[in-house]
Amino acid sequence: MTPADRQTRLAQELLRFEDPQERLSFVQDRVRRKPPLPDALRTEENRVKGCLTKVWLAPSLSSDRCTFEVDSESPMVRSLAALIAEPFSGATPREVLEFECRILEESGLLKRITPTRLHGLAQLEGAIRSFARSCLSHSQPCI
């Protein structure tokens, strides 16, 4: 499944809820069931710079497929970060770089998110792309 396919599936799942506030609640409920990142991954190295709230990204590459685990101090930010990371997980580094993440627009949530949070989510997406670039260039070891 491509990142675009994952994004479309996820957006369709969210659009079942007519009320955007219910969509946000659903996003939070989905993430609440997932375990938090282990403390060993909540490092300064994994911290996404430029986010007002602490956000951690633990990327990895296995069999040429990227996985992006995220966490945050804030439940809402954790939920939104997971929403951004989900379409990218399972993609090759090249697919990550070629994919245009529009999940917030496609799910109708963009207008519900504050500019400060949008900036942080853009920083997260930048960190995801940076990891993919490093995997392709091999300038940094991919975990």
Side-chain angles (χ1 to χ4, degrees), residues 3-4 6 11-13 19 23 25 28 37 44 57-58 66 89 91 94 102-103 115 122 134-135 139-140 142:
R6 281 188 288 280
Q12 288 172 346
E13 186 177 1
D19 180 11
R23 280 183 222 141
S25 294
Q28 283 187 290
L37 273 181
E44 206 47 43
L57 171 67
C66 299
S89 283
R94 182 147 323 279
R102 298 183 47 81
I103 188 62
S134 73
C135 290
S139 64
Q140 297 179 0
C142 296

Side-chain angles (χ1 to χ4, degrees), residues 17-18 21 26 38 48 58 74 77 81-82 88 98-99 108 111 114 118 120-121 135 137-138:
F17 301 94
E18 289 185 31
Q21 197 59 42
F26 178 73
V48 178
S74 160
V77 173
F88 289 104
E98 293 172 352
F99 174 62
K111 293 179 182 177
T114 65
L118 286 174
L121 295 172
C135 290
S137 70
H138 300 297

Side-chain angles (χ1 to χ4, degrees), residues 50-115:
C51 294
L52 195 56
T53 302
K54 287 184 181 177
V55 175
W56 295 274
L57 171 67
S60 61
L61 183 73
S62 178
S63 301
D64 197 37
R65 297 287 169 180
C66 299
T67 301
F68 301 100
E69 294 181 75
V70 294
D71 207 346
S72 176
E73 298 175 313
S74 160
M76 177 56 79
V77 173
R78 180 179 190 233
S79 301
L80 293 171
L83 187 64
I84 295 297
E86 189 170 330
F88 289 104
S89 283
T92 66
R94 182 147 323 279
E95 288 173 331
V96 167
L97 294 173
E98 293 172 352
F99 174 62
E100 181 180 353
C101 186
R102 298 183 47 81
I103 188 62
L104 297 176
E105 294 93 327
E106 288 189 16
S107 65
L109 292 174
L110 183 63
K111 293 179 182 177
R112 299 300 227 177
I113 301 170
T114 65

